[in-house]
Amino acid sequence: MPSDTSQPSFVLVRPQMGENIGAAARAMWNFGLDRMRIVAPRDGWPNPKAVAMSSGAGRLLDEAQLYDDLAGALADSTFVFATTARQRGLTKPVYSPERAMQIAAEKVAAGEKVAVLFGPERAGLENEDIAKANAIISVPVNPEYASLNLGQCVLLTAYEWMRQSGDVVHEATDLGKGDWATGVEVEKLVEHYEDRLEEAGFFYPPEKAEGMKTNLRNLWSRMRMTRADVQMLHGVMRQMVRWKDRG
Amino acid sequence: MPSDTSQPSFVLVRPQMGENIGAAARAMWNFGLDRMRIVAPRDGWPNPKAVAMSSGAGRLLDEAQLYDDLAGALADSTFVFATTARQRGLTKPVYSPERAMQIAAEKVAAGEKVAVLFGPERAGLENEDIAKANAIISVPVNPEYASLNLGQCVLLTAYEWMRQSGDVVHEATDLGKGDWATGVEVEKLVEHYEDRLEEAGFFYPPEKAEGMKTNLRNLWSRMRMTRADVQMLHGVMRQMVRWKDRG
């Protein structure tokens, strides 16, 4: 049984298809969540179809805690979110997944035990279930077409948990082989091209030459180059000169 | 064929399973995206399994544009993102889905034609495909377990498109039946309870009575109540008094 309390429990309430329980386990573990609770699964437990679908995340199913009813699953929880696709006529705060997982991260950091409820595939949570929750999570889907299944709802919520609780790197560069070219390396490339293109009569007419050189320099600086890029571009120019010399 | 240019195209590159193409269509349409392009699908096109899986989003498949190669699918694009699960050794900016869809929304608003590439299920995009993209999207998954399938990758990207391009309501209250109670209504409830509980001898011992009353008032104000809630709580107290009177 997972003992770590630094994450919310995801509670599948009366799930129907084993495949969807397995898909939920995979969705959770993709984002580092591994505390699953299962309330009254339709087809009993353990469920071979859940195991077959959970490839690589089967540990979550082995460690999942099983309950006969929702009250039991929530016995130790201090704050409960319920996911639902539609308005229920219950007076309750309604949060986006983003805001809900912000709140969850704050509460978990403060030592609270947070649970998130996901309803059965066909009908979703009953109002009786939702009345046990402190707040509702509603995914902002296309009003013309709301068709998220159980695994997808778990996936988006787990993704938002990761976004709100982790350190997402928003921008990086996959540098590939080698380092960025230094200023002097770029400058030598610029000179190489200018010299050869000058010889080749490229900067014509003379009154436009300066502008053309500026544009070319600007192009080199705009595209940030690695050392390998610079070497390749030197090679391009050398080869063109060789070709000319052969001709 | 969809003519609206105010959204990116999602380009499925050499998709294998029809089911996943259908799932991708559903994922897109959940978040209001309907411009799908398909490059060289393994099992030909149209694909009955894709149609079967696309329930309610079949229009996207009917309108999907089919291409023999990726260059054709990108002929009109001015900016291309490629989704990939691992580093590729190509010098290229790498964005989170969130940052990538922010950039996409800005470019689309400026009239650019943006495409997002999704690779085949088993191996993902080839480096040759990624070299055609301006930037990479990498979903920040659990480093111990990265197991997003094609439909899930499309789902998360489409979700981020909606978040970055739309107006997500982060907090609301599902008010249920009726309006919030007014201050005077709450005050009358407070008095009703205090009066009856006074008669019942609840505020005892006398030196603690004020503190008990304050705690009770604080409870009422902490839980924001609707008119229906207030009426129900009046009814609770009246009924207890009736019960006592019968006894």
Side-chain angles (χ1 to χ4, degrees):
Chain A
M1 186 187 346
S3 59
D4 170 22
T5 57
S6 66
Q7 55 168 274
S9 301
F10 276 22
V11 184
L12 308 188
V13 182
R14 301 182 300 278
Q16 300 178 318
M17 311 263 289
E19 292 85 340
N20 291 330
I21 302 172
R26 292 175 64 169
M28 288 174 63
W29 189 226
N30 262 294
F31 298 111
L33 289 165
D34 62 1
R35 294 166 62 83
M36 180 185 272
R37 297 180 176 192
I38 306 175
V39 177
R42 184 190 66 185
D43 299 336
W45 196 254
N47 182 323
K49 286 181 180 167
V51 174
M53 189 66 177
S54 70
S55 60
R59 179 176 65 80
L60 274 72
L61 302 179
D62 297 340
E63 296 173 349
Q65 294 174 277
L66 190 69
Y67 299 89
D68 293 334
D69 58 28
L70 180 56
L74 297 181
D76 64 348
S77 300
T78 61
F79 200 92
V80 178
F81 292 99
T83 55
T84 168
R86 51 184 206 282
Q87 301 274 338
R88 297 309 191 104
L90 291 167
T91 306
K92 195 84 76 180
V94 180
Y95 298 118
S96 66
E98 177 180 0
R99 183 60 50 86
M101 291 301 102
Q102 269 171 15
I103 294 169
E106 288 164 12
K107 291 191 183 297
V108 165
E112 289 208 49
K113 295 205 170 191
V114 174
V116 184
L117 311 185
F118 297 88
E121 290 89 331
R122 201 160 298 264
L125 293 166
E126 303 282 341
N127 273 6
E128 193 194 341
D129 305 319
I130 295 176
K132 293 190 170 62
N134 300 91
I136 286 172
I137 300 176
S138 180
V139 180
V141 285
N142 181 356
E144 293 177 44
Y145 182 72
S147 164
L148 293 178
N149 68 25
L150 174 57
Q152 291 172 324
C153 190
V154 170
L155 183 79
L156 290 175
T157 309
Y159 170 76
E160 282 291 358
W161 166 260
M162 178 279 308
R163 286 212 320 120
Q164 303 308 324
S165 65
D167 295 315
V168 175
V169 177
H170 288 300
E171 293 192 38
T173 297
D174 183 354
L175 188 48
K177 298 170 226 16
D179 302 323
W180 291 121
T182 62
V184 67
E185 288 163 339
V186 174
E187 186 58 28
K188 281 187 180 155
L189 183 71
V190 167
E191 286 168 15
H192 183 186
Y193 270 66
E194 276 190 7
D195 291 351
R196 290 297 90 73
L197 290 170
E198 189 88 65
E199 287 184 66
F202 176 73
F203 298 114
Y204 185 88
E207 64 272 23
K208 295 214 169 155
E210 273 317 296
M212 291 170 81
K213 286 178 187 176
T214 302
N215 287 345
L216 191 60
R217 273 176 183 270
N218 190 43
L219 175 65
W220 299 130
S221 64
R222 202 167 69 226
M223 54 179 215
R224 209 176 165 199
M225 290 178 287
T226 62
R227 285 191 172 152
D229 294 331
V230 168
Q231 288 314 316
M232 186 179 63
L233 288 167
H234 276 299
V236 164
M237 181 52 85
R238 271 189 226 108
Q239 188 61 28
M240 293 307 290
V241 172
R242 262 184 230 118
W243 192 33
K244 185 243 346 153
D245 288 345
R246 276 203 306 269
Chain B
M1 189 185 348
S3 58
D4 171 22
T5 57
S6 66
Q7 54 168 273
S9 302
F10 276 21
V11 184
L12 308 188
V13 182
R14 301 182 300 277
Q16 301 177 317
M17 310 262 290
E19 292 85 341
N20 291 329
I21 303 173
R26 292 174 65 170
M28 287 174 64
W29 189 226
N30 263 295
F31 298 111
L33 288 166
D34 61 1
R35 294 165 61 83
M36 178 185 274
R37 296 179 176 193
I38 306 174
V39 177
R42 184 190 65 185
D43 299 337
W45 197 254
N47 182 325
K49 287 182 179 165
V51 174
M53 190 66 178
S54 70
S55 61
R59 178 176 66 79
L60 274 70
L61 302 180
D62 299 338
E63 295 172 351
Q65 294 174 277
L66 190 69
Y67 298 88
D68 293 334
D69 57 29
L70 180 55
L74 298 181
D76 64 346
S77 300
T78 60
F79 200 91
V80 178
F81 291 100
T83 56
T84 170
R86 55 185 202 283
Q87 302 273 342
R88 297 310 191 102
L90 290 168
T91 306
K92 194 86 78 181
V94 180
Y95 298 117
S96 66
E98 178 180 1
R99 182 62 49 85
M101 291 300 103
Q102 269 171 13
I103 294 169
E106 288 165 12
K107 291 192 183 294
V108 165
E112 289 207 49
K113 295 205 170 189
V114 174
V116 185
L117 311 185
F118 298 88
E121 290 89 332
R122 201 159 298 263
L125 292 167
E126 303 282 341
N127 274 6
E128 192 194 344
D129 305 318
I130 295 176
K132 293 190 170 63
N134 301 92
I136 285 170
I137 300 176
S138 180
V139 179
V141 286
N142 181 354
E144 292 178 44
Y145 183 72
S147 164
L148 294 177
N149 68 26
L150 175 58
Q152 291 171 324
C153 189
V154 170
L155 184 79
L156 291 175
T157 309
Y159 170 76
E160 282 292 357
W161 166 259
M162 178 280 306
R163 287 211 320 119
Q164 302 308 325
S165 65
D167 295 316
V168 175
V169 177
H170 288 300
E171 292 193 38
T173 297
D174 183 354
L175 190 47
K177 300 168 220 30
D179 303 322
W180 291 119
T182 61
V184 68
E185 288 164 341
V186 174
E187 187 57 29
K188 281 187 176 153
L189 183 71
V190 168
E191 288 170 13
H192 183 186
Y193 269 66
E194 276 190 8
D195 291 352
R196 290 297 90 75
L197 289 170
E198 189 86 67
E199 288 184 67
F202 177 73
F203 298 112
Y204 185 88
E207 64 273 24
K208 296 213 169 158
E210 273 317 298
M212 292 170 81
K213 286 178 186 175
T214 302
N215 287 346
L216 192 59
R217 273 175 184 268
N218 190 42
L219 175 66
W220 299 130
S221 64
R222 203 167 66 226
M223 56 178 214
R224 207 174 166 202
M225 290 179 287
T226 63
R227 286 192 169 151
D229 295 330
V230 168
Q231 288 314 315
M232 187 180 63
L233 288 166
H234 277 298
V236 165
M237 181 51 85
R238 273 190 224 105
Q239 189 59 27
M240 292 307 290
V241 171
R242 265 185 226 114
W243 192 33
K244 185 247 338 160
D245 287 347
R246 276 205 304 270

